[in-house]
Amino acid sequence: MANLTQPPPASCKNVSLKTSAIFGLKLRLEDFEQTRLNFRASFRINPSLGLKASVEPPGLIRRIRREKFKTARDKQDEKELFDELKNRFLSFKRNTYLENMEHYKDLAKSQSPKFMVIACADSRVCPSVILGFQPGEAFTIRNVANLVPPFEHGPSETNAALEFAVNTLQVENILVIGHSCCGGIQALMSMQDVSDDSSSFIKSWVRVGRNASISTKAAASGLGFDQQCRHCEKESVNRSLSNLLTYPWIEESVMRGTLSLHGSYYNFIDCTFEKWTLDYMARSIKGSAAIKNQSFWH
């Protein structure tokens, strides 16, 4: 005969737990049913609740829909931009590359440009478009405000390009191109003190032209800001020409007569171009920049 005082077997205990869980679920379902009935009652009293929920999606959903629409539109614009670039490339290949196949085969083997061009990164100033340079004719470096840092300034992509162009490619001419409405020069001229430390990459870079800024403010203090900037746009070119001579291999090439340094100024407002050449001998005698062979193209 079984001992009634013994605890129930483990299997019975599990059944009891399951039953409790089921009863608990039943209770929760009853609570949910009561809530649903209460909501139905509220809806009968105020039917606009259902209409508002269906007509106005939540703010998050509306924002996601707008972002999806904007993304799709942007992707379409991007596709059209690159489709245009594709057409331009294929036109170049068909009308230029294939028609001058031998020339491009030679360029694939080596390059021997006569010019190194230092121009501004401004999208309105493209040396190949302005001066008609063809592939293989000009080794080009572009930076903000077409500046050349002095040798002691330290490594940069500009003087790395100078080293390669002069020592390896042995270019015969370096042409620095300044231009009108230069944002980099405006940033330089706007600085209160060019020696101040700044976290701005632009200000840190254009500080290379501080001597041009100082001399401009001294010579053109009575002029308006725009006129001062135009003066500095040309003055900075001459300062860059002087800075080029701080590189030993450049000065040596200039002294030997195998390299000439040229400055220029492109005014895209009236489409004019000024060009001049640094007079190295006059500079070495007078101790300041001097120019020769100045011309004005219009």
Side-chain angles (χ1 to χ4, degrees):
M1 184 175 178
N3 187 353
L4 297 179
T5 63
Q6 292 179 350
S11 58
C12 294
K13 194 173 185 180
N14 291 339
V15 170
S16 177
L17 290 173
K18 290 178 181 177
T19 305
S20 299
I22 292 173
F23 288 157
L25 177 62
K26 182 177 180 181
L27 290 173
R28 287 194 293 273
L29 289 175
E30 288 176 352
D31 292 341
F32 172 76
E33 187 66 25
Q34 184 62 41
T35 302
R36 187 172 62 173
L37 291 173
N38 291 340
F39 176 76
R40 287 178 177 174
S42 299
F43 177 72
R44 285 194 297 270
I45 298 172
N46 188 8
S48 64
L49 288 175
L51 294 175
K52 185 177 293 186
S54 61
V55 173
E56 290 188 19
L60 178 60
I61 296 176
R62 288 198 300 272
R63 188 168 67 252
I64 291 174
R65 287 179 179 175
R66 284 198 301 269
E67 289 175 354
K68 283 184 177 180
F69 176 76
K70 181 179 179 181
T71 301
R73 182 180 61 198
D74 289 347
K75 286 183 177 179
Q76 180 62 29
D77 291 343
E78 182 180 282
K79 182 179 183 301
E80 291 176 358
L81 286 174
F82 279 92
D83 284 345
E84 173 63 21
L85 291 184
K86 175 185 175 181
N87 292 334
R88 294 182 190 180
F89 171 74
L90 294 177
S91 176
F92 159 76
K93 181 176 181 179
R94 180 174 57 253
N95 300 321
T96 303
Y97 183 89
L98 294 178
E99 291 185 3
N100 299 275
M101 181 70 76
E102 292 303 317
H103 174 62
Y104 284 98
K105 283 184 178 180
D106 291 339
L107 287 179
K109 299 173 184 176
S110 64
Q111 59 172 323
S112 55
K114 301 294 184 183
F115 286 89
M116 178 183 181
V117 174
I118 301 172
C120 186
D122 194 303
S123 63
R124 299 164 292 184
V125 184
C126 182
S128 296
V129 173
I130 299 168
L131 300 174
F133 285 119
Q134 299 302 307
E137 289 186 344
F139 186 81
T140 304
I141 182 76
R142 299 179 69 176
N143 61 44
V144 173
N146 45 267
L147 298 172
V148 176
F151 180 78
E152 61 270 16
H153 186 268
S156 71
E157 70 276 13
T158 298
N159 46 40
L162 283 169
E163 181 179 353
F164 182 72
V166 176
N167 292 342
T168 303
L169 299 179
Q170 298 182 343
V171 296
E172 299 175 6
N173 302 277
I174 297 179
L175 176 64
V176 181
I177 304 176
H179 70 93
S180 57
C181 305
C182 182
I185 295 298
Q186 291 173 9
L188 173 64
M189 293 296 294
S190 298
M191 295 172 65
Q192 297 299 319
D193 186 347
V194 294
S195 63
D196 287 345
D197 291 334
S198 174
S199 58
S200 167
F201 291 138
I202 294 175
K203 290 182 178 179
S204 296
W205 169 251
V206 298
R207 194 175 290 118
V208 168
R210 60 186 179 273
N211 289 335
S213 173
I214 293 171
S215 62
T216 293
K217 290 178 179 179
S221 59
L223 301 178
F225 181 75
D226 290 342
Q227 291 175 304
Q228 288 186 12
C229 286
R230 181 163 184 178
H231 184 282
C232 191
E233 287 163 357
K234 296 181 180 181
E235 177 64 16
S236 68
V237 173
N238 285 329
R239 295 287 177 167
S240 287
L241 294 178
S242 296
N243 286 345
L244 285 171
L245 292 175
T246 64
Y247 294 83
W249 64 86
I250 291 180
E251 184 173 26
E252 182 181 350
S253 297
V254 173
M255 288 177 60
R256 291 201 312 262
T258 59
L259 177 65
S260 296
L261 308 181
H262 310 274
S264 61
Y265 182 80
Y266 169 52
N267 188 336
F268 53 67
I269 297 175
D270 56 10
C271 196
T272 57
F273 197 89
E274 299 175 54
K275 177 266 175 188
W276 57 92
T277 300
L278 180 70
D279 190 338
Y280 176 74
M281 297 305 297
R283 177 189 181 278
S284 63
I285 294 172
K286 297 179 181 180
S288 60
I291 62 173
K292 61 182 180 180
N293 302 332
Q294 190 171 10
S295 58
F296 186 72
W297 309 340
H298 59 94

